Amino acid sequence: MPQEFDYIIVGAGSAGCVLANRLSEDPDARVLLIEAGPRDRHPFIHMPAGLAKLVGKKGVNWDYDTAPEAQLNQRVLWWPRGKVLGGSSSINAMCYIRGVPGDYDDWAAAGASGWGWSDVLPYFRRSERNSRGDSALHGSHGPLYVSDLRYTNPLSGVFIEAGQQAGYAANPDFNGPQQQGFGLYQVTQKNGARCSSAVAYLDPARERHNLHIVTGALVNRITVERGRATGVTYSVGGRAYHQHATREVLLSGGAINSPQLLMLSGIGPAEELRRHGIEVLHDAPQVGQNLQDHLDICTLQHSTRRVTYDRVSDVRIAFDYYLRGHSGPGSSNIAEAGAFVRSALAPDERADIQMHFVPAMLDDHGRHRLPGDGYTAHACFLRPRSRGRIGLASASAGDKARIEANYLSDAEGFDMKMMLECAKLSRTVFAQKAFDPYRGAPIFPARDDLSDTELVEFVRAKAESVYHPVGTCRMGDDDASVVDSRLRVRGVEGLRVVDASVMPSLIGGNTNAPTMMIAERAADLISGRL
């Protein structure tokens, strides 16, 4: 391996794999991609329904927990994040969602110049290879395969029908002209198998002579000399290494790891760094701040018919999937159907609630298996006002960062009001005639007639993350932002952050596709094409 590289990318997740591909397209650019986790060889990564079995597999998961959450009965919430080639795109539910134009126009209005909808749409289209073909809103020649599900459970259709009975429209494309309505998700799958960022972007580039990939490597710090990032130190199997970067160091660790590594390297809030004995190279008070996530409330109902995924044999699913050419239940992403709904409290025309429907009982992220058969509605508020932070637990990269999500902490209490709207919407949908042949006893909540006060307690006792943390290295044109609109870290030359942490605010939906878009556009910024 060369002694120095032009670009060093820290993190081979949703963004890092995109950067590795695009930057190594230049044969003269030497690119090093460093990933803390292993290669993406596990068969359950590639069989879509295998995501249910990846929940407890710590070898591909950072397995984070929050600090006790004050507004959630002091509960510690689990935050799974991918620790493997492909990052969270290798363990997620594969739902392909972009958000709506207003989300990105909000970014631009907040100071992220060049990140409005008209700026980012070309990069979504460049990334996408949609099975439905090319259109004004979709691409058909990109590396990321976006497909219709090969198999859906009958209850997913029941959910969509129930949504229409409740007065909402059917929607065949949540990324089309209109986001609102009930429908099936399109998924990041290629021929019935998961199409992670590693599959889409890294696999085609692996054989390039100028791209080097190191796995099982924990980056300890960014080396900075005279105000410029010059490389990284990392360890593999207890042995330390240093690699020099002649052009730039690019952080793609995500909303938790990127701010943590900045702080460990002396770039962050001075008080936080000094508390852990870290020399302050650049006082950047906003590093780790502005943390946002979608809080999710699950409503569970028993099914009187054995049509759910609860009792389907994992062995049988895998056998059928691989024997029958990536088809059948094994090709399901489990969260097959969903919805975007505008509540009565919405401040504008955008949907402010998202639903994921699961034809199985999903309690505690699937870690708690319940007896019998049932179905689950996830519902989350898309634009929370509460803000949290990422802090340090110690000065060691081997210690997990401190996550203070601060859910439901907004002064007006609006986030809790919206969580009640989410819970009520799920009950309304489940009460529709379409579910009559399947509806058994309620599970969570245990009664259908809860008062608002009781629903508040239900939310405090059961709400969980739906895995969309962003914002901790906010981009903007103001001096307080962590990175500028070209994703360059303020106060340090030769250093950028390229991942979901740079989002000024959450988009209205799943964050994986927008993270890949950010990396697509970043590659043009880095290479000087933009």
Side-chain angles (χ1 to χ4, degrees):
M1 189 164 69
Q3 294 299 308
E4 61 181 21
F5 292 85
D6 297 300
Y7 302 107
I8 297 177
I9 304 166
V10 181
S14 299
C17 289
V18 177
L19 287 177
N21 179 301
R22 295 306 190 191
L23 294 177
S24 65
E25 286 176 336
D26 176 0
D28 294 326
R30 299 162 299 173
V31 180
L32 173 64
L33 178 63
I34 303 176
E35 168 57 36
R39 295 186 65 137
D40 54 334
R41 291 191 173 115
H42 199 286
F44 281 139
I45 289 176
H46 302 285
M47 183 181 76
L51 68 93
K53 302 298 292 183
L54 292 172
V55 167
K57 190 164 182 58
K58 296 184 179 182
V60 297
N61 193 334
W62 284 98
D63 197 36
Y64 287 121
D65 291 301
T66 69
E69 287 292 318
Q71 300 300 319
L72 296 174
N73 296 345
Q74 295 296 326
R75 288 188 296 126
V76 170
L77 272 60
W78 187 52
W79 277 25
R81 309 305 301 159
K83 186 181 181 182
V84 61
L85 290 183
S88 293
S89 74
S90 287
I91 67 171
N92 69 3
M94 294 156 278
C95 298
Y96 182 80
I97 294 293
R98 298 171 174 174
V100 294
D103 297 331
Y104 301 95
D105 291 339
D106 279 355
W107 288 7
S113 302
W115 294 89
W117 177 245
S118 62
D119 303 301
V120 303
L121 177 58
Y123 292 96
F124 277 119
R125 294 187 71 250
R126 183 167 85 174
S127 171
E128 183 185 17
R129 185 181 295 249
N130 198 296
S131 62
R132 299 179 185 177
D134 200 73
S135 71
L137 293 174
H138 289 292
S140 62
H141 296 90
L144 182 66
Y145 282 68
V146 176
S147 309
D148 296 317
L149 286 159
R150 288 189 168 191
Y151 179 91
T152 57
N153 186 282
L155 277 172
S156 295
V158 171
F159 173 79
I160 296 169
E161 183 182 358
Q164 294 175 266
Q165 291 172 350
Y168 302 101
N171 189 346
D173 183 5
F174 293 134
N175 301 295
Q178 174 61 255
Q179 186 190 54
Q180 295 179 40
F182 280 63
L184 295 172
Y185 285 106
Q186 279 201 300
V187 290
T188 48
Q189 291 184 14
K190 176 183 179 181
N191 299 325
R194 179 189 293 273
C195 187
S196 66
S197 64
V199 171
Y201 286 92
L202 204 54
D203 285 355
R206 284 183 192 273
E207 301 306 317
R208 292 175 185 165
H209 74 279
N210 59 329
L211 174 61
H212 293 263
I213 303 168
V214 178
T215 56
L218 181 66
V219 176
N220 302 298
R221 63 189 295 267
I222 305 154
T223 54
V224 179
E225 299 175 13
R226 295 185 293 278
R228 182 176 184 83
T230 58
V232 300
T233 62
Y234 66 93
S235 57
V236 179
R239 186 174 178 183
Y241 298 88
H242 176 264
Q243 287 291 343
H244 184 69
T246 61
R247 296 187 190 176
E248 296 192 37
V249 175
L250 308 168
L251 300 192
S252 295
I256 303 168
N257 292 18
S258 284
Q260 180 191 27
L261 185 56
L262 285 176
M263 288 187 278
L264 292 175
S265 305
I267 305 161
E271 184 179 349
E272 176 87 356
L273 304 186
R274 292 187 182 115
R275 184 163 54 247
H276 296 284
I278 299 170
E279 180 186 357
V280 180
L281 299 183
H282 176 62
D283 182 11
Q286 286 294 303
V287 170
Q289 305 298 312
N290 193 46
L291 174 62
Q292 302 159 58
D293 183 33
H294 288 142
L295 186 65
D296 189 58
I297 187 66
C298 285
T299 299
L300 279 68
Q301 189 98 23
H302 276 298
S303 173
T304 57
R305 297 188 181 183
R306 295 186 61 176
V307 297
T308 74
Y309 291 138
D310 289 297
R311 301 194 204 187
V312 178
S313 164
D314 296 327
V315 174
R316 178 63 183 271
I317 283 182
F319 180 79
D320 284 351
Y321 175 75
Y322 286 108
L323 186 68
R324 301 176 190 276
H326 295 178
S327 62
S331 66
S332 169
N333 73 325
I334 310 301
E336 300 165 349
F340 289 88
V341 171
R342 181 178 181 270
S343 78
L345 301 179
D348 55 39
E349 295 304 310
R350 289 177 287 184
D352 54 353
I353 296 175
Q354 181 182 7
M355 303 184 77
H356 295 83
F357 176 75
V358 176
M361 294 179 290
L362 197 72
D363 185 36
D364 188 23
H365 311 272
R367 297 186 296 178
H368 180 211
R369 297 297 293 268
L370 300 172
D373 296 86
Y375 43 89
T376 304
H378 293 251
C380 70
F381 172 37
L382 289 173
R383 294 178 183 85
R385 300 179 181 182
S386 301
R387 296 292 183 268
R389 65 181 289 271
I390 298 295
L392 294 177
S394 77
S396 171
D399 292 334
K400 296 177 181 178
R402 180 176 174 83
I403 302 170
E404 299 173 5
N406 293 335
Y407 293 114
L408 307 178
S409 63
D410 62 306
E412 304 85 3
F414 187 76
D415 288 1
M416 178 59 88
K417 292 177 183 177
M418 283 304 306
M419 292 307 293
L420 295 190
E421 293 292 311
C422 290
K424 290 175 180 178
L425 175 62
S426 297
R427 298 307 310 167
T428 296
V429 174
F430 280 179
Q432 299 305 310
K433 185 177 180 180
F435 276 106
D436 285 354
Y438 306 92
R439 188 184 306 108
I443 305 171
F444 298 127
R447 301 194 338 260
D448 292 327
D449 60 347
L450 296 186
S451 66
D452 281 6
T453 300
E454 290 172 314
L455 272 179
V456 166
E457 290 310 308
F458 171 60
V459 169
R460 294 195 193 281
K462 296 298 291 183
E464 297 284 353
S465 170
V466 75
Y467 325 127
H468 299 156
V470 308
T472 51
C473 296
R474 177 182 66 87
M475 70 169 156
D477 292 335
D478 59 293
D479 291 340
S481 62
V482 177
V483 300
D484 65 16
S485 294
R486 298 183 71 84
L487 309 184
R488 297 172 297 196
V489 175
R490 295 187 181 278
V492 181
E493 295 181 3
L495 178 62
R496 299 191 207 223
V497 180
V498 183
D499 56 35
S501 71
V502 306
M503 295 184 187
S505 55
L506 269 164
I507 60 100
N510 310 71
T511 52
N512 191 241
T515 299
M516 294 192 202
M517 175 279 293
I518 288 170
E520 281 276 15
R521 191 169 188 275
D524 276 1
L525 292 170
I526 295 163
S527 63
R529 293 189 293 266
L530 189 64

